[in-house]
């Protein structure tokens, strides 16, 4: 019985040690600016500062928001150069730099969910491959920040579709 208990103790100890080391390895593998985690000309949250025109448009657009949270759906289809192809409830689209975009809606979207995909902004073609990420626009409850990249992690302009629900 003592042998069985000591084997279990050794197994548990090794499992805890392994999980601890694995957790440390995961933390050490987080991207940094030097490894392409975020562009260098950014502020808190990895986003460039809000442009004065974007702030003005965001404030004006919020005046139209009724505050009702129903199953509201808003969307934007954006060309790689940051020009809106089509959309619903979109007040402004801005391209800040390679692969950095913001979409300002005329309603509060911070209470909902954002879904984005690299997608053709026209009506015909398969878009270039890449990665896309979305986040709430800092200091702007009616804005979404989008980043597009190549699979190697380099910031790159890509057309995209953004869907906001809620």
């Amino acid at each position: 019985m003592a042998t069985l208990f000591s084997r279990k103790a050794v197994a548990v100890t090794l499992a805890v040690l392994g999980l601890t080391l694995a957790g440390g390895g995961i933390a050490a593998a987080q991207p940094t600016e030097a490894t392409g985690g975020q562009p260098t000309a950014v502020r808190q949250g990895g986003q460039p500062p809000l442009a004065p025109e974007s702030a003005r448009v965001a404030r004006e657009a919020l005046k139209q928001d009724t505050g009702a949270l129903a199953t509201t759906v808003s969307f934007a289809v954006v060309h790689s150069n940051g020009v809106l192809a089509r959309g619903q409830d979109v007040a402004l689209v801005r391209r800040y730099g390679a692969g950095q975009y913001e979409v300002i809606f005329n309603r509060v979207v911070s209470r909902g969910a954002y879904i984005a995909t690299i997608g053709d902004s026209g009506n015909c073609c398969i878009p270039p491959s890449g990665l896309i990420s979305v986040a709430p626009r800092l200091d702007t409850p009616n804005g979404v920040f989008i980043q597009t990249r190549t699979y190697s992690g380099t910031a790159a302009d890509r057309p995209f579709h953004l869907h906001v629900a809620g």
Side-chain angles (χ1 to χ4, degrees):
M1 186 72 148
T3 305
L4 179 64
F5 178 73
S6 64
R7 286 183 186 168
K8 284 183 182 178
V10 170
V12 169
T13 303
L14 290 176
V16 169
L17 179 61
L19 289 173
T20 302
L21 292 174
I26 291 169
Q30 295 299 317
T32 63
E33 286 185 33
T35 61
Q38 295 291 338
T40 55
V42 296
R43 63 176 214 168
Q44 175 190 6
Q47 299 179 18
L50 191 65
E53 176 68 7
S54 296
R56 185 192 64 74
V57 170
R59 282 190 304 274
E60 291 297 317
L62 274 179
K63 292 178 183 176
Q64 301 172 23
D65 184 28
T66 63
L69 181 61
T71 54
T72 305
V73 174
S74 301
F75 73 92
V77 177
V78 180
H79 296 288
S80 60
N81 62 359
V83 173
L84 180 68
R86 58 192 176 275
Q88 180 173 315
D89 300 324
V90 177
L92 172 80
V93 176
R94 178 181 303 276
R95 178 184 171 274
Y96 275 94
Q100 294 185 333
Y101 307 88
E102 72 180 1
V103 179
I104 304 292
F105 293 94
N106 62 12
R107 66 183 190 87
V108 172
V109 296
S110 60
R111 299 181 297 245
Y114 322 121
I115 302 165
T117 185
I118 304 291
D120 182 57
S121 53
N123 294 318
C124 72
C125 307
I126 302 293
S129 63
L131 305 169
I132 189 166
S133 56
V134 296
R137 186 65 169 112
L138 292 177
D139 304 323
T140 312
N142 57 330
V144 179
F145 186 76
I146 298 97
Q147 286 187 326
T148 58
R149 299 181 177 276
T150 64
Y151 274 118
S152 64
T154 305
D157 294 333
R158 297 286 191 258
F160 62 89
H161 296 215
L162 172 65
H163 178 237
V164 179

